[in-house]
Amino acid sequence: MQAVDKLPTNQPADRRAFSVLAKEHHRSLLAYAQALTKESHTSRDIVQDAFVVAWRNLETFDVTRDFGSWMRGIVRNKWREFQRKSTRQVVVDDDVLECLEADAQQWDGLIEHGGVFNRLEKCLKKLPENLAEAVRAFYYDELSGQEAADVLCVSGATLRKRLERARGGLRDCLQAGSNSEI
Amino acid sequence: MKKENQMIDALLKEHARNKCADDSDFLKSLEGRLDAEENIISVIKPSVKRRGYGIAAGVAATLVVGAIGVAHFTRDAGFGEQIAMNEIPPTISEGLGEGASLAREHTAPTGVKEEIRKQADQKPKLLSNDVVPDKFASGGGMQTRSSAEIRIEGASATLDSQHLPSMRSKIGKGAMPRGGENTHYHFYRNLGRSPKGQSVIGDRYGALTDNAFKSPWKDPLSTFSVDVDTASYANVRRMIQSGNVVPKDAVRIEEMINYFAYDYPQPEGKHPFSVNVETASCPWNEKHRLVKVGLKGKDIIREKRPATNLVFLLDVSGSMNRQDKLPLLVDSMKILLKELNADDSVSIVVYAGAQGVALPPTYVNDAGRKAILKSLESMHSGGSTNGGAGITLAYKMAKKHFVKGGVNRVILGTDGDFNVGVTGDESLVNMVEREAKSGVFLSVLGFGQGNLNDSMLEKITNKGNGNYFYIDSLREGRKVFLDDMMGNMVTIAKDVKIQIEFNPSKVSSYRLIGYANRMLKKEDFKNKLIDAGEIGAGHTVTALYEIVPGNAAEAAPEVDELKYQENKPQPKPVGRKVVDSPEMMTVKLAYKQPEATKETESTYFSKAVVDGKKTWQQASEDFKFSSGVALFGMLQRQSEYAGQGNYALVRKLAEHGRGEDEKGHRTEFSDIVRKLK
């Protein structure tokens, strides 16, 4: 909600304010779009298009809502539009959409506290070493599941379990952060 | 992965990509697009106002009471909301499902319904920010109308927000003034192109109608503009090789024939190209004759070619992000770079959401070469396409660094999607035509599939004294850049027109194969103001005529007697006598020197043709091969004129006509035909 204050209402849309909002939200929206499309290039296009649509329709933006969830609504519509035109369909059911939205909303609350990515870095440091190294190998060194498992000398199943635990732990940590710091 | 963890998974991936920093490329590109939006909005606003007044005035006149007028406008607006569902935010577009639950959670006391109404009221005004080209306009002149208007029309027809009729006159009269008899409107529905022309699935082709048989009594002259494009063959080849169905209108027979080089002699004398005519029996109808007219441009030794000023205009929009698009384009450019030297300069303009100069004019010396390579290496795609603004910038740059007496050319590499800004085919075509007069020619390289706007790409080169190639592989890139472009870049003659006069005592009827959208009116031949194709150094252009031999007067079809005219139709027009001549036809040519202006008079020369009564089996390899390619094209177009022709005959012709085939192009053609067995 806090970001909304930067938007002048009932006035000609302010480009600078919009740029500030875009700067604040673009990366979490990219992450959101990536969760939908599972593909980084498509998500960039979708988020770009969504910002342009938002800019065109800024006057319809309801100031009582928060910018992040409004943008995610547009991103979802852009993603559906893309899905219709694409031969490759990624099925994301409504339960998952709800989970994504719930997380994203919570993380929007971190914007004024340095943003979700800053918080994520802190949380990463709190991970136990065995989980942290799994995350490093899989996400940051961009190894495949099997390669990461080989590097860490564990079975594929163990790696999957560690990654799942790491994701759960990070999610809890971010949640705690957004609750405590708001 | 648990559903609860999918968002954190994506967050980790995003974090790994760029840690906590902003994605500056993304933001830069977004800012560019927002800038472009502002330009569009300021252009469109006046018409929005006018329309608003129009509605108000109309309502007032009808209903007299102003208040009722307002109510009427509101209802109209609600309609706009219904049909613009696909891009508006969830509180409006998703009254159901997850959108509704979100809206409930976040909506202020006004309540969801109230909000929907409130926001919907504003919708038409907002939608009018989207500019769409209006192809309904007759006469080819492009008008700009707001998408809100189009959408409302679409909804009244189908009431379906996802299937707005995108009617496009693919070959409009205004766009193809010389296309006279072959011009017609073709309406496409649901080709996957949204009214705003955003990048979508579905290649687009202009509709073509094959030339019919004509009688020399009625139409003694056949006039057309030369075409050195080759894109159609490479595109059709790609479709066949990947097992796709080839759309009829993707097949332009003259481009297929001209994809291959033919062994014609060098010109002797003052004209910059030689004219070579060969006649023999027609392979797919032995009673007919086939005439091959071949032009060969004067070779220029590579070392002697003039300095070049090349401006590459590269599409770096999101849709170019595929191995067969931008990376292939970059690799192909590296091949060209090897051919250029320190006298040549290269600059690069990119366009996506915003256009910009990626590389200022750089001479291709050692340091320059490195700079160009570095610039090429850093190319990456993202954003949507503003082709119009990009082209404007590229021409500006080419003109600024114009090399007098040299080669000045804009080379556009794209998958053909022009999304924002100057969108309509016609307005782009007009712009390119206008710029061509400044002496800067245009080459277009088409890439990829699924998004290829073949019709527009061909049209803009028709107008822009340019040529259009399709590149689907590095091998093709090499052919285009080294074999074709190096020739094409040095234009040796422009506005090249061919006119053939048939002798009615030898030719009962005739038909030009291909060149369906290259036909000119007979009077255009002598009109210096009419633009036509260009021929590059060393280039060959080939056209085939199918001829029904005999006496046109005797063969005139029987027509029922006219009721209102006293002069009954005669098989041979009264008072017209035929000159006794053994010639079957005369090939006449008109051309201008490359540096000539519009006002310069063309140079004319001609060549008479006597039919030698050869059979096709006795004809040259080039004759056999080109007729094989023509038949192949006719079969692909399901042409009624293919006679007894079939793919077996195409194979036979291609194999008998293969010759030395140093580069393997003819062998590859045989392989493709074999695939269709």
Side-chain angles (χ1 to χ4, degrees):
Chain A
M1 219 78 65
Q2 63 294 328
V4 176
D5 306 335
K6 299 188 178 89
L7 266 183
T9 52
N10 302 324
Q11 280 171 22
D14 184 338
R15 173 70 185 280
R16 248 194 327 205
F18 189 77
S19 296
V20 170
L21 285 168
K23 200 163 150 41
E24 277 174 3
H25 287 269
H26 72 291
R27 291 208 56 212
S28 49
L29 284 169
L30 286 171
Y32 180 73
Q34 179 142 336
L36 296 174
T37 62
K38 319 282 182 215
E39 210 270 304
S40 84
H41 280 287
T42 314
S43 19
R44 289 173 79 79
D45 284 352
I46 285 178
V47 177
Q48 283 249 338
D49 290 350
F51 271 119
V52 173
V53 169
W55 172 245
R56 279 183 203 156
N57 293 276
L58 203 56
E59 292 162 60
T60 64
F61 175 57
D62 177 1
V63 289
T64 60
R65 295 189 53 200
D66 87 289
F67 186 73
S69 66
W70 187 61
M71 280 305 301
R72 284 191 292 279
I74 304 176
V75 167
R76 270 198 303 282
N77 287 333
K78 280 279 157 199
W79 164 63
R80 289 193 179 118
E81 198 179 289
F82 173 80
Q83 290 262 78
R84 278 192 296 273
K85 290 165 188 166
S86 162
T87 44
R88 188 173 148 262
Q89 301 279 333
V90 179
V91 181
V92 179
D93 62 35
D94 288 351
D95 288 353
V96 175
L97 282 178
E98 268 176 39
C99 282
L100 297 179
E101 181 59 30
D103 279 350
Q105 260 177 40
Q106 220 156 29
W107 300 345
D108 278 350
L110 293 167
I111 285 175
E112 296 214 332
H113 305 278
V116 63
F117 290 99
N118 265 323
R119 179 73 206 166
L120 179 67
E121 288 190 349
K122 286 181 192 153
C123 293
L124 279 166
K125 286 183 187 143
K126 291 183 190 167
L127 276 185
E129 185 47 33
N130 64 337
L131 301 190
E133 65 181 13
V135 168
R136 269 199 301 276
F138 184 74
Y139 287 102
Y140 294 85
D141 299 338
E142 292 183 55
L143 300 179
S144 69
Q146 195 50 55
E147 286 165 351
D150 292 346
V151 168
L152 300 174
C153 303
V154 294
S155 70
T158 308
L159 179 88
R160 279 195 296 278
K161 214 173 279 175
R162 285 186 187 173
L163 285 173
E164 199 66 354
R165 277 174 54 208
R167 286 187 286 253
L170 290 170
R171 192 165 171 258
D172 291 344
C173 174
L174 286 175
Q175 204 165 351
S178 56
N179 289 338
S180 63
E181 290 179 43
I182 285 171
Chain B
M1 192 192 311
K2 278 193 205 162
K3 64 183 181 199
E4 292 81 14
N5 287 344
Q6 291 201 10
M7 189 66 201
I8 188 86
D9 171 66
L11 192 76
L12 280 164
K13 284 179 184 154
E14 183 60 27
H15 182 251
R17 205 171 58 78
N18 213 13
K19 296 291 184 306
C20 292
D22 284 336
D23 187 332
S24 50
D25 283 352
F26 179 93
L27 290 173
K28 210 170 136 193
S29 161
L30 176 64
E31 289 299 322
R33 288 190 63 185
L34 295 179
D35 286 342
E37 285 291 309
E38 285 186 344
N39 293 339
I40 292 166
I41 290 165
S42 61
V43 168
I44 196 70
K45 261 180 184 158
S47 69
V48 173
K49 271 190 190 158
R50 272 200 303 281
R51 194 161 53 83
Y53 296 144
I55 292 171
V59 170
T62 320
L63 301 173
V64 185
V65 185
I68 302 174
V70 171
H72 185 81
F73 182 81
T74 310
R75 203 174 71 229
D76 208 353
F79 197 34
E81 172 258 318
Q82 185 193 3
I83 50 184
M85 273 181 177
N86 55 348
E87 19 180 73
I88 39 179
T91 44
I92 307 168
S93 68
E94 297 179 2
L96 302 166
E98 138 262 353
S101 68
L102 289 173
R104 272 194 296 278
E105 281 173 41
H106 295 283
T107 310
T110 39
V112 178
K113 278 187 183 171
E114 186 71 15
E115 188 184 343
I116 290 173
R117 202 176 324 120
K118 192 181 82 199
Q119 298 193 10
D121 287 352
Q122 300 174 34
K123 218 53 216 155
K125 183 178 73 192
L126 293 159
L127 282 171
S128 58
N129 291 347
D130 297 337
V131 182
V132 287
D134 180 12
K135 301 295 177 50
F136 298 91
S138 58
M142 196 198 118
Q143 292 177 1
T144 307
R145 305 203 317 190
S146 76
S147 62
E149 246 178 297
I150 300 283
R151 285 169 198 204
I152 287 168
E153 284 177 26
S156 60
T158 63
L159 281 177
D160 180 351
S161 66
Q162 303 316 327
H163 297 280
L164 298 169
S166 173
M167 293 179 168
R168 310 190 150 265
S169 62
K170 301 307 279 186
I171 303 180
K173 277 182 178 158
M176 302 291 300
R178 60 172 184 259
E181 58 268 51
N182 296 289
T183 298
H184 51 192
Y185 291 92
H186 195 95
F187 294 118
Y188 275 57
R189 286 175 70 99
N190 302 331
L191 265 182
R193 186 170 166 104
S194 70
K196 276 186 301 168
Q198 281 171 338
S199 69
V200 287
I201 308 277
D203 297 344
R204 297 180 285 277
Y205 303 98
L208 296 176
T209 305
D210 290 327
N211 290 313
F213 275 104
K214 288 180 177 169
S215 160
W217 269 123
K218 201 165 164 285
D219 299 292
L221 298 167
S222 167
T223 315
F224 64 99
S225 154
V226 297
D227 184 355
V228 292
D229 293 351
T230 63
S232 178
Y233 176 75
N235 194 16
V236 166
R237 177 183 62 194
R238 178 259 294 177
M239 290 187 261
I240 293 172
Q241 281 174 340
S242 55
N244 293 336
V245 177
V246 179
K248 203 170 158 249
D249 292 327
V251 183
R252 290 185 291 272
I253 297 175
E254 72 281 10
E255 293 189 17
M256 304 191 71
I257 296 173
N258 285 326
Y259 178 87
F260 302 94
Y262 301 97
D263 189 20
Y264 303 139
Q266 275 290 304
E268 289 169 7
K270 58 178 181 167
H271 303 298
F273 51 88
S274 66
V275 182
N276 310 276
V277 185
E278 184 175 2
T279 64
S281 62
C282 177
W284 52 89
N285 192 337
E286 303 265 353
K287 288 179 190 156
H288 293 180
R289 306 293 294 169
L290 197 66
V291 179
K292 176 166 69 70
V293 179
L295 309 185
K296 164 94 178 178
K298 189 164 59 184
D299 267 327
I300 287 181
I301 304 161
R302 253 176 211 174
E303 288 70 47
K304 284 189 183 166
R305 76 177 161 75
T308 58
N309 158 29
L310 303 181
V311 180
F312 283 91
L313 172 58
L314 306 186
D315 177 353
V316 293
S317 65
S319 60
M320 286 293 280
N321 171 40
R322 281 177 51 134
Q323 203 50 42
D324 62 350
K325 293 184 179 176
L326 193 61
L328 176 59
L329 169 58
V330 167
D331 288 344
S332 305
M333 281 174 67
K334 287 180 189 163
I335 294 176
L336 176 71
L337 206 56
K338 288 183 191 151
E339 283 293 310
L340 301 175
N341 58 43
D343 291 334
D344 306 318
S345 78
V346 167
S347 24
I348 303 175
V349 174
V350 293
Y351 70 93
Q355 72 288 354
V357 178
L359 179 79
T362 307
Y363 284 107
V364 194
N365 50 27
D366 287 347
R369 202 177 291 273
K370 275 183 199 152
I372 296 165
L373 281 170
K374 200 176 155 200
S375 169
L376 286 176
E377 299 290 352
S378 64
M379 292 282 158
H380 59 271
S381 55
S384 80
T385 314
N386 186 352
I391 282 193
T392 314
L393 183 63
Y395 273 116
K396 208 168 142 191
M397 204 130 130
K399 278 189 282 188
K400 202 170 160 193
H401 303 277
F402 196 84
V403 178
K404 217 170 168 195
V407 176
N408 297 281
R409 192 172 282 270
V410 171
I411 300 171
L412 163 63
T414 180
D415 56 1
D417 214 32
F418 296 86
N419 281 356
V420 196
V422 193
T423 352
D425 280 17
E426 282 80 6
S427 63
L428 255 180
V429 167
N430 289 342
M431 186 176 77
V432 171
E433 187 191 19
R434 203 171 54 240
E435 299 287 359
K437 287 175 195 155
S438 67
V440 181
F441 295 110
L442 176 75
S443 290
V444 174
L445 311 174
F447 286 86
Q449 54 183 307
N451 206 11
L452 184 70
N453 194 341
D454 182 77
S455 149
M456 177 193 282
L457 296 183
E458 209 232 343
K459 243 191 254 177
I460 61 179
T461 51
N462 282 356
K463 282 282 180 150
N465 286 343
N467 32 55
Y468 168 35
F469 305 98
Y470 178 81
I471 298 182
D472 59 348
S473 62
L474 201 55
R475 181 164 178 253
E476 189 62 24
R478 189 182 299 273
K479 176 185 184 291
V480 167
F481 273 115
L482 294 192
D483 302 343
D484 300 340
M485 288 260 280
M486 289 312 279
N488 277 317
M489 271 196 263
V490 185
T491 303
I492 53 147
K494 72 174 187 182
D495 291 350
V496 182
K497 302 167 195 170
I498 301 181
Q499 183 167 70
I500 296 183
E501 183 187 346
F502 294 91
N503 179 353
S505 65
K506 300 283 178 197
V507 175
S508 166
S509 61
Y510 67 88
R511 183 176 96 80
L512 173 60
I513 300 171
Y515 292 88
N517 60 6
R518 294 282 176 153
M519 296 308 291
L520 298 173
K521 291 186 211 134
K522 56 181 183 289
E523 56 271 28
D524 291 346
F525 183 71
K526 280 277 184 188
N527 187 345
K528 63 188 176 194
L529 299 176
I530 298 289
D531 178 49
E534 60 180 77
I535 296 186
H539 223 279
T540 59
V541 180
T542 301
L544 295 172
Y545 275 93
E546 185 175 346
I547 301 235
V548 183
N551 191 315
E554 287 161 14
E558 217 168 277
V559 182
D560 201 18
E561 284 197 353
L562 295 179
K563 192 175 161 188
Y564 304 109
Q565 291 186 24
E566 287 198 357
N567 292 342
K568 306 296 174 213
Q570 302 286 327
K572 181 176 161 183
V574 187
R576 273 163 71 177
K577 285 184 183 159
V578 176
V579 174
D580 188 25
S581 164
E583 294 166 11
M584 179 163 75
M585 60 198 232
T586 296
V587 181
K588 300 187 286 177
L589 291 119
Y591 71 91
K592 288 182 187 177
Q593 295 295 338
E595 62 276 11
T597 64
K598 196 128 197 158
E599 301 303 321
T600 313
E601 196 52 65
S602 299
T603 308
Y604 301 92
F605 69 105
S606 65
K607 184 170 184 156
V609 180
V610 179
D611 187 3
K613 306 291 173 203
K614 261 196 299 194
T615 64
W616 68 263
Q617 287 86 348
Q618 298 161 331
S620 69
E621 283 166 345
D622 280 348
F623 185 96
K624 288 176 201 158
F625 188 81
S626 59
S627 61
V629 178
L631 176 58
F632 175 76
M634 290 195 282
L635 293 170
Q636 286 290 314
R637 289 185 56 74
Q638 295 146 20
S639 167
E640 57 181 298
Y641 305 109
Q644 294 106 39
N646 52 30
Y647 288 114
L649 179 58
V650 175
R651 267 204 320 279
K652 194 170 167 185
L653 287 164
E655 271 149 32
H656 287 210
R658 181 180 302 160
E660 285 181 14
D661 192 27
E662 279 172 18
K663 291 183 177 139
H665 298 310
R666 293 188 180 194
T667 310
E668 184 191 57
F669 175 74
S670 297
D671 292 344
I672 288 169
V673 181
R674 208 167 292 125
K675 245 187 153 167
L676 291 172
K677 198 173 173 182

